[in-house]
Amino acid sequence: MFFIDTIELEGLGNRGYLAGGRQTAVAVDPPRDFDQVLTAAARRGVRISHVVETHIHNDYITGGLELARVTGAAYLVPAGARVSFARVPVADGNTVTVDAGLELRAVATPGHTPHHTSYVLQEQGQPVAAFTGGSLLIGTVGRPDLVEPRLTEQLARAQHASAHRLAAELPDETSVLPTHGFGSFCSSAQAEGDATTIGKEKSVNTALTTDVDSFVARLLAELDDVPAYYAHMGPANADGPAPVDLTPPAVADAYEIATRLAAGEWVVDLRNRVAFAEGHVAGSFNFEADGKIATYLAWMIPWGKPVTLLAESPEQLAAAQRELVRVGIDRPAAAATGTPQEWVPEGDSLTSFPRSTFAGLAQHGTDGIVVLDVRRHSERADGYIDGSVHIPIHQMHKRLGEVPAGTVWVHCAGGMRAGIAASLLDAAGRQVVAIDDGFDSAADAGLTIVTG
């Protein structure tokens, strides 16, 4: 008998896996904070004998190298990947024994990267699951444009061929277990559903239901923006990531917080957007700990700029710190926990801004105000409020000067990104109203939506 445990990384929209038998197991695409992989192995009572990477990741920093060092496991990395550390190079067709009657077979599946490799778990020689990384995902494939623009079309065609190879070589009942597709921007589209098989993908995945030219044309047309921090992930993974340090940051008092703000550093309030709007340290930015903090903070902050975290509790701080190390923001410059009143010098006051809904915007009217849409281009293409200004959230910190004069009513698709944008505008001294509402409500409120 074999087992497969899923290591969920909801913030980044990825999954890693631990698979094995009675005594030993293999870790697939582990996160940088791999303690949860060790916990899963301890719960199963198994030793991790192998750690494998499907590819050099562009969206997060791997824990594979350090996990292999800590456990003494063999570290398997595709042979075509250029890395600066010792590893076991894996080529198409290579197999390793995971446990009695259980082996892992490497299948070259280029497309997401030129060297991408999937791994088929075989029990008594029969395929039971395929760890497909950024190749065949649930209903889609990994995006082919993260390596080099000149290779994008070539890799898109390779994705089509790789998907067809997996579909041809594996039985329909084989479970497909991808790393990407659950919110990660490494996916060319987002997964519909939580589990799939080769047989199901044959009927629903466009890589398997359309010809290569149609597939490539559609895939390239639907590619979305690439988070800026991706440029730093691949090199870090190829060099060999440093071990994680999750010890608490130095404690900042109100005077230090004010000093860091005055120096132009980023002070990030992790509380929810409702609490932030009601009262916060002037000049601080709001990235909710319960949102996609790793994605959006890493996307927007100038790389390497010191960041100070403000949290309601030590637990909230620790969770955010864990999310951030996954994308290379290793050590906050400082941190504080408690209430916002404790984060400002005595005698100073907090600042705030109002929140509203699309119904509130319709009731107020759009004359004489700025309606700012901070959704991505692909979202806006499906419809937008007539007369609204468009600046995607990940470009806001560099384009604040382009926001027209007047009170700004800012919205996104659900409220979280509008909260980030409102905090940036508020810190810049603008009058702002955060629309905390689903965009589907805009038309119902009577606002004019432009489509086509």
Side-chain angles (χ1 to χ4, degrees), residues 166-407:
L166 290 170
E169 293 186 5
L170 300 177
D172 283 356
E173 62 271 19
T174 307
S175 296
V176 175
L177 302 173
T179 300
H180 304 313
F182 310 95
S184 168
F185 282 87
C186 265
S187 175
S188 59
Q190 294 314 310
E192 295 291 338
D194 197 52
T196 193
T197 62
I198 288 291
K200 182 177 180 180
E201 291 307 304
K202 285 181 178 179
S203 64
V204 301
N205 197 305
T206 54
L208 299 173
T209 59
T210 58
D211 65 89
V212 63
D213 290 334
S214 300
F215 166 77
V216 169
R218 178 176 173 178
L219 179 62
L220 299 186
E222 293 179 348
L223 290 174
D224 215 330
D225 298 317
V226 178
Y229 71 91
Y230 277 25
H232 304 280
M233 300 297 97
N237 286 324
D239 288 343
V244 167
D245 180 1
L246 290 175
T247 57
V251 176
D253 59 16
Y255 175 77
E256 182 176 352
I257 292 169
T259 300
R260 290 186 177 279
L261 280 168
E265 297 183 11
W266 280 37
V267 173
V268 171
D269 190 324
L270 302 171
R271 296 174 301 142
N272 70 69
R273 57 186 181 267
V274 177
F276 182 88
E278 290 175 348
H280 56 269
V281 178
S284 62
F285 302 145
N286 182 217
F287 289 81
E288 292 180 298
D290 292 337
K292 295 177 74 68
I293 180 175
T295 295
Y296 285 105
L297 180 55
W299 196 339
M300 296 171 67
I301 191 171
W303 200 251
K305 181 176 279 291
V307 59
T308 295
L309 301 178
L310 308 179
E312 289 179 322
S313 66
E315 292 76 20
Q316 186 181 62
L317 174 61
Q321 193 176 347
R322 181 179 287 269
E323 289 278 345
L324 293 175
V325 299
R326 294 171 179 168
V327 292
I329 300 178
D330 279 19
R331 295 296 299 163
T337 58
T339 64
Q341 290 80 9
E342 300 173 78
W343 302 334
V344 293
E346 188 174 352
D348 286 2
S349 58
L350 301 174
T351 188
S352 63
F353 54 77
R355 297 165 52 250
S356 190
T357 61
F358 286 109
L361 174 61
Q363 184 176 9
H364 181 279
T366 57
D367 291 343
I369 65 167
V370 180
V371 178
L372 177 62
D373 181 350
V374 296
R375 296 174 302 160
R376 296 187 300 277
H377 291 285
S378 58
E379 296 172 285
R380 186 172 171 87
D382 292 332
Y384 58 90
I385 296 172
D386 189 28
S388 61
V389 176
H390 181 225
I391 301 178
I393 184 60
H394 57 275
Q395 299 175 6
M396 274 291 298
H397 61 300
K398 296 180 179 179
R399 299 177 59 186
L400 286 171
E402 298 178 29
V403 180
T407 300

Side-chain angles (χ1 to χ4, degrees), residues 427-448:
R430 298 296 301 270
Q431 296 296 310
V432 62
V433 179
I435 300 176
D436 197 351
D437 200 0
F439 187 71
D440 290 345
S441 301
D444 295 339
L447 295 165
T448 301

